[in-house]
Every structure is written in structure tokens, then in C-alpha cells.
Amino acid sequence: MLELKNVSFEVDDNGDSKGIIKNLNLTIEDGKFTVITGPNGGGKSTLAKLIAGLIKPTEGRIYLDGEDITDLSITDRALKGIGYAFQQPVRFKGIRVIDLLRIAAGKELKVNEACEYLSEVGLCARDYVNREVNASLSGGELKRIEIATVIARNTKLSVFDEPEAGIDLWSFQNLTKIFEKMRNENKEGAVMVISHQERILKIADEIVVLANGTVKMQGPGEEILPKIIGTDAAVDACSMLS
């Protein structure tokens, strides 16, 4: 279980302090698929970076299974079991896909084992297992490879920052199936996804609406979803909460 207690994050804005996250309290429970949504600029990606350890809070503390991890680096948090998938996946020239999966799994994966992870994210393993993680891969391919590395890590908490960004419709449809599988199979760990997409919101156990750096609504998906989604299509109702 992840807990954020009275967490704030400020940046310097031409000599003045600008609050991005404001005295936020949030619990991400084990065994749940939690979706963070809300208007652009509301602090969602900043929240993900605070959890992963890319940035540190100005105030407040962050706990993982009761342990204070506020001052731990991103590497130490990864060792504690926090996985983070970037909105724009990083390219690693000279590193093969299988090498990346082995690093993520923390062991010398056999080719057939690596291929299983690639198959889970809808990639033909034979075509990708020995490819370099470089500019020759499309955004959608990189996204799915990154998700495969998160699955390979079998983390306590997997954080995905707008995983649908920059991918095609087929990849997005496959992505929702991956999340459904993660939700159904990972009963001990937690999955947290930042997304505006109705299809992802529909499979959420818990929805958190974040606007102006604070939690505006939080609760079971079936209770929160009707309040922020129109009957015909997703609407930016969250912006009305800012």
C-alpha cells in the first residue's frame, strides 16, 4: 500500500513559489487498479514523478507498506518494488529488447521467457526480442516494450503515466486488455494509471480526480465514473472541478 500524507510540491516561478501539488493526502491500496484523471495541468504527471522518486516533495511524506520512502532515490524505490512507465518511453541505443527485459526481471531470462513477456503486450516475439531499443521502433512499439518490462519486474506498485499517449488505435485496444489482465492477476500489488480515456476509466476499481493539485473526488469506479463521463462520450467534466 502506498500512502501520501500532506504532500506538497512547489516550483520557482520567476522568483515566486507556484504550488503544483497542494497538501495532498492519497492512499493507493494493494490489489486495486486505480486511475488518476482530471484536467490538464492539474498535477497528475507531477504526482506520478513524486511517487516514482524523479522529484521530491517540498512538504509531506510518502510511505510504501508503512516505510517512509520520501528521501529514497528512484533506484532505491525501484528496488523496493515501484515500477514507473514514462509518458514518452526512453530509447536506449545499443541495448537489445531482451537485455532490457533481463534488467527489468533482475535475472538472466531465457529467450523463450523474454518472448512470453513480449507476447503479453501483443508483439511478435521473434521480430522484437533481438531488436535495439532505438529510433527504429515506433512510439507504440516502445510503449508496449516498456509495459513488458514493468510486467517482468512484477512490482508492488506499477505506475503508468498516460500510457495511451502516442500509440495507434490497435495498440490502445491491446493496452486495455493488458491492464485488465494485470488487474485480474495481480491481487497483491497495485496498478496506478494516469489517463483521460473512458475505456481505461471503465475498468478502474478506484478513480481519483485531481485538479489544481488537490483531490476533488475519489471513490469506487462505478460511483465516480457517472459523475465525470457523459452518456455518449467522455467529456472534460473534470475541468469544471478546477
Side-chain angles (χ1 to χ4, degrees), residues 213-232:
T214 62
V215 174
K216 299 298 184 180
M217 285 193 289
Q218 180 178 2
E222 64 269 19
E223 292 181 11
I224 301 298
L225 188 61
K227 299 177 182 179
I228 60 174
I229 299 294
T231 55
D232 297 322

Side-chain angles (χ1 to χ4, degrees), residues 194-224:
I194 292 172
S195 180
H196 296 284
Q197 293 295 327
E198 183 176 357
R199 190 171 296 181
I200 293 177
L201 288 164
K202 281 183 175 179
I203 64 173
D205 296 309
E206 187 92 351
I207 294 176
V208 178
V209 179
L210 191 68
N212 283 336
T214 62
V215 174
K216 299 298 184 180
M217 285 193 289
Q218 180 178 2
E222 64 269 19
E223 292 181 11
I224 301 298

Side-chain angles (χ1 to χ4, degrees), residues 78-83 101 104-107 117 147-158 182 185-190:
L79 292 172
K80 294 287 183 182
I82 295 179
L101 288 167
K107 61 182 180 180
Y117 291 121
I147 292 171
T149 65
V150 174
I151 295 171
R153 285 201 57 217
N154 192 29
T155 54
K156 289 183 179 179
L157 173 65
S158 301
M182 291 178 73
E185 294 183 357
N186 189 3
K187 298 301 182 182
E188 295 182 359

Side-chain angles (χ1 to χ4, degrees), residues 45 48-49 52 54 74 82-87 146 150 153 159 161:
S45 290
K49 291 174 182 177
L54 289 166
I74 185 171
I82 295 179
Y84 178 74
F86 290 86
Q87 191 175 122
E146 184 178 45
V150 174
R153 285 201 57 217
V159 181
D161 187 2

